[in-house]
């Protein structure tokens, strides 16, 4: 999930909940980032040239899980993370961006199809499932992000030690 927006956090936003100031601020911020992404992307390029220790350790662990070369994976992983940030700035749906991460970490497991279905959501209930791979507007992308971050099916399954990174 892109971030946790639990019922407790939503209650802090009362009386407007997530539909007020939060949605507005997220839309304005995303619009500004999409208008001029160069500074952010150039700054993130530092992580490709000098990956953090956490990213290096995670890349090695993922390479072992997938049966790949740890040294090659260590260089590829930061580039993949920066590419994900580019997709976000281009308006891609957060669920589809995370699907690629899910496939890398769990693509070979028998749980993968069920996890993917939960991640992508249900067209009857979830805005992220209706949005498609790429969102038509900033507002649709923000609505998908909020839907993704508030989905109780995902929040209830999230690992207690989850640590979100860039």
């Amino acid at each position: 999930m892109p971030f946790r927006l639990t019922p407790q956090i939503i209650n802090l936003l009362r009386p407007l909940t997530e539909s007020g100031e939060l949605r507005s601020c997220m839309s304005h911020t995303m619009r500004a980032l999409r208008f001029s992404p160069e500074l952010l992307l150039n700054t993130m390029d530092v992580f490709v040239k000098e990956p953090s220790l956490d990213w290096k350790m995670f890349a090695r662990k993922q390479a072992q899980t997938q049966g790949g070369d740890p040294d090659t994976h260590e260089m590829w992983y930061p580039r993949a993370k920066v590419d994900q940030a580019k997709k976000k700035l281009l308006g891609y749906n957060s669920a589809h961006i995370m699907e690629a991460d899910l496939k890398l970490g769990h693509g070979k497991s028998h749980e993968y199809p069920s996890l993917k279905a939960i991640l992508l959501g249900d067209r009857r209930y979830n805005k992220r499932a209706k949005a498609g791979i790429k969102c038509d507007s900033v507002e649709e992308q923000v609505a998908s992000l909020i839907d993704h971050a508030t989905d109780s099916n995902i929040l209830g399954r999230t690992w207690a030690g989850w640590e979100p990174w860039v």
Side-chain angles (χ1 to χ4, degrees):
M1 89 186 79
F3 58 97
R4 285 189 208 195
L5 193 52
T6 63
Q8 293 82 356
I9 295 172
I10 290 173
N11 284 334
L12 290 173
L13 300 172
R14 291 218 182 266
L16 301 175
T17 66
E18 74 277 3
S19 64
E21 208 54 40
L22 177 67
R23 185 180 305 268
S24 175
C25 288
M26 286 177 68
S27 295
H28 289 302
T29 302
M30 184 59 75
R31 197 172 284 107
L33 289 171
R34 286 172 79 174
F35 179 74
S36 183
E38 297 82 20
L39 180 63
L40 179 62
L41 293 173
N42 289 338
T43 303
M44 290 180 74
D45 204 39
V46 171
F47 291 105
V48 174
K49 294 176 181 141
E50 297 288 331
S52 70
L53 289 176
D54 291 328
W55 278 10
K56 284 183 175 183
M57 288 185 335
F58 189 77
R60 288 188 172 279
K61 183 179 174 184
Q62 199 169 22
Q64 290 172 346
T65 303
Q66 297 296 322
D69 177 25
D71 294 327
T72 305
H73 211 72
E74 190 174 297
M75 296 308 297
W76 167 86
Y77 185 79
R79 170 60 51 206
K81 290 298 178 188
V82 172
D83 288 345
Q84 284 181 346
K86 285 180 188 176
K87 285 184 174 183
K88 292 173 186 178
L89 293 172
L90 290 171
Y92 281 79
N93 186 334
S94 62
H96 290 280
I97 293 170
M98 288 190 67
E99 179 188 0
D101 259 354
L102 181 66
K103 188 172 186 177
L104 283 174
H106 301 281
K108 295 180 180 178
S109 73
H110 67 278
E111 296 96 359
Y112 175 72
S114 298
L115 293 171
K116 179 180 171 182
I118 293 166
L119 176 67
L120 296 178
D122 187 328
R123 291 187 64 80
R124 294 174 292 174
Y125 309 111
N126 302 112
K127 292 177 183 174
R128 68 182 183 275
K130 296 174 188 169
I133 294 173
K134 193 170 179 184
C135 299
D136 293 331
S137 67
V138 168
E139 290 74 21
E140 184 178 47
Q141 185 179 18
V142 168
S144 295
L145 280 166
I146 290 173
D147 174 66
H148 199 171
T150 57
D151 188 337
S152 57
N153 197 4
I154 294 176
L155 288 170
R157 295 170 192 269
T158 305
W159 177 54
W162 180 68
E163 295 177 348
W165 304 106
V166 174

